[in-house]
Amino acid sequence: MIYQGNAITVVRGDDDIATLTFDLQDESVNKLSSAVVTELDEAVKALQGESGLAGLLLTSAKEAFIVGADITEFQAMFGKGGDFLESMLVRVHGIFNAIEDLPFPTVTAINGLALGGGCEVLLTTDFRVMSESAQIGLPETKLGILPGWGGCVRLPRLIGADNAVEWIAGGTQNRADVALKMGAVDAVVPAEQLEAAARDILARAIAGELDYRARRAEKQQPLKLGPIEQMMAFETAKGYVAGKAGPHYPAPVEAIKVIQKGAGEERARAQAIESKAFVKLAMGEVAFNLVGLFMNDQVVKKKGARYEKQARPVKQAAVLGAGIMGGGIAYQSASKGTPILMKDIKDDAIELGLKEARKLFAKQVERGKLTTEKMAERLTNIRPTLAYGDFGNVDLVVEAVVENPKVKEAVLAEVEAEVSEQTILTSNTSTISITRLAQNLKRPENFCGMHFFNPVHRMPLVEVIRGEQTSDAAVAATVAYARAMGKTPIVVNDCPGFLVNRVLFPYFGGFSLLMEQGADFARVDKVMEKFGWPMGPAYLLDVVGLDTAVHAGEVMAEGFPERMGSLGGGAKGEGDSQSAIQMMFENDRLGQKNAKGFYAYEEDRRGKPKKVRDEAAIELVKGVARESREFSDEEIIARMMVPLCLEAVRCLEDGIVGSPAEADMALIYGIGFPPFRGGALRYIDAMGVDAFVALADDLAKELGALYAPTDKLREMAAAGERFYDTRNQAPAQA
Ligand code: NAD
């Protein structure tokens, strides 16, 4: 035994080959936490002190090789400042370089997933053998940082600058055959032959058949690139990647610059360039928020997994209604392997639902993601019907008929009589209280909300809504089914708008107030898109549908009259003006569905709706303006964001949602809240709760209750509290 730690052991074999095994105790995966890095340091020192060794094999005793650095340590680490980070990087470079410089040949046996720091470790050895099912990659840019432990230096020297740019800027996870083709690994073998193959390479290197010193030198020298290659690999890539990532995600382009600047340098200089860029990114707010997002996603996934454990699995599902949502739900269920009955009352509706599903499957075939045979097989997972005949063995029903409480109540009571006593009933309603819909049911405990977003196949969120009488078993089964459909379920309590629409409508309220004061909606859209939203509020209203928005606005107005009263029918009394949203609706401008709303819609060459300026809409909106005020970008952002963020705070305070993590993830997954901003509550944290309260108070003086902070938020501000861990202060923008 050369070294024994909690995560790493190094043993010496009879053949003088040392085997370093990663096997982090009490964990299911290997991670390079700071404790493990310290062990690696000790293990390498022990290897350096051992005389007469002939070679080194790096390996893992877990299913994955190493999944990466320990991301849960990042925020605290980034918060310690640039000098700390710099010295951490210098230290790790020292350890990794020491592996690379060992006086004998080295090889890694990549048995499973090797990502981030886990991938950077295996780049230090002279050779790599990979199991057929393993994958490797450097996904750091997705977290707003870049590979900082030598990945930006070693990978391009191994697979070429152009390939490395693709892997690093794209953060891709790469299959073994691709890794082999590009030269990232030397051989790919079946799992059971992995260790023998790795040892064979070592033996050949020891015997002088393979020149390990030459391989090593390649990784440490400047990259050999002509001016044209430089141009192609870097300049073209920078333009392309910048366009794709957008201005809010600086890491991918920064990574390309690091590869470019380091290309002509020796190892030490190139690593110093990498470290400097890493520190700059890690100290910025985007990295802080994206790392926070990763951790929030873990919280949500873990909660989901906990529910799933208690759930009765859904082997057969059913959906009522084959419309936009029902068709989408049927497709999604079938495509992920849960058979589903699709019932409607109209033949042509069923035809339409099936046509939509076929179209989506065909797209998958076109993109090479599905074979035609598989498509045929998956399509048979959808069984259309006009009758309840087969409902006796259905485990879970999603009701997605028209948004009318009377129709829904009747349909739910009807289906309850056709299913077994264990069957879980759910409703995809957007606006009707789940507790109310349960009133007519014989088994209200078996009922909850299952709120999908449009388009179902694309939107990751499913809100699972617990009514007053909903049982844990119903919630668990619904969560499990949503996960089986590849969605991210978030459990919330019942209230008007549930979580996501309740938070979204005050944002529309902010928009209406801006219109009343004479703001230009196209400009508001532009400002909010620049802020990071996938579409501005007017455009979003057109996509949602103005009729739907007016209806939902009425529900919200009824639910929260004090602050959302004006979201509904517009004119409330004398002197009250009509909202721009109401004005659109009353003039039969329903949005994309009838090709006219705040914008007019034309079909583009691919048959997709393209928005164009429409004078008639502009005139109508002018009609609701009581003044013609000019707003700065900052004012527009504040007037739009403050009501949304405040409602998220209220949902948390009212127990509608269980944690800041779930609230923020629901907004990101459900309505496209800009991910790099981390969510509404993290946005308040970033501003500082006290600064946010001051801003809201200021606006409330002029604009009323929609902008008034809650008492508890004031208390938080006074006490210097935050929504997320106070130890992890967001660093100032670098
Ligand atoms: P839709 O009008 O496209 O489809 C409704 C379908 O239900 C129609 O095909 C109709 O024939 C069918 N139907 C009516 N009565 C029925 C019955 N008794 N049995 C079986 N089928 C019946 O509506 P949609 O947009 O798909 O919305 C459905 C539900 O989803 C609504 O509750 C809506 O609020 C909710 N929702 C919609 C969206 C959206 O963006 N469209 C988003 C989230 C939730």
Side-chain angles (χ1 to χ4, degrees), residues 57 97 147 177 260 267 272 282 395 399 415 579 582 596:
L57 168 69
N97 292 346
D177 54 341
Q260 182 174 21
R267 185 175 75 183
D395 302 303
E399 170 278 305
V415 70
S579 81
Q582 184 77 13
K596 50 181 189 175

Side-chain angles (χ1 to χ4, degrees), residues 424-437:
I424 306 302
L425 298 185
T426 70
S427 173
N428 184 41
T429 179
S430 316
T431 55
I432 309 166
S433 155
I434 293 304
T435 301
R436 170 185 170 174
L437 284 177

Side-chain angles (χ1 to χ4, degrees), residues 193-265:
Q193 293 167 21
L194 184 68
E195 187 174 336
R199 287 186 183 278
D200 179 56
I201 285 197
L202 267 189
R204 285 163 56 202
I206 293 163
E209 242 177 82
L210 296 171
D211 187 353
Y212 76 90
R213 289 192 186 85
R215 291 297 303 274
R216 196 173 281 191
E218 253 173 46
K219 267 195 289 155
Q220 301 186 12
Q221 283 165 3
L223 258 169
K224 293 175 196 72
L225 279 178
I228 294 184
E229 282 172 299
Q230 280 258 10
M231 180 72 189
M232 287 302 289
F234 300 125
E235 299 307 328
T236 317
K238 269 191 279 186
Y240 174 74
V241 169
K244 224 173 149 200
H248 299 300
Y249 298 87
V253 171
E254 203 56 46
I256 301 175
K257 286 189 195 158
V258 166
I259 300 173
Q260 182 174 21
K261 274 194 216 150
E265 306 285 350

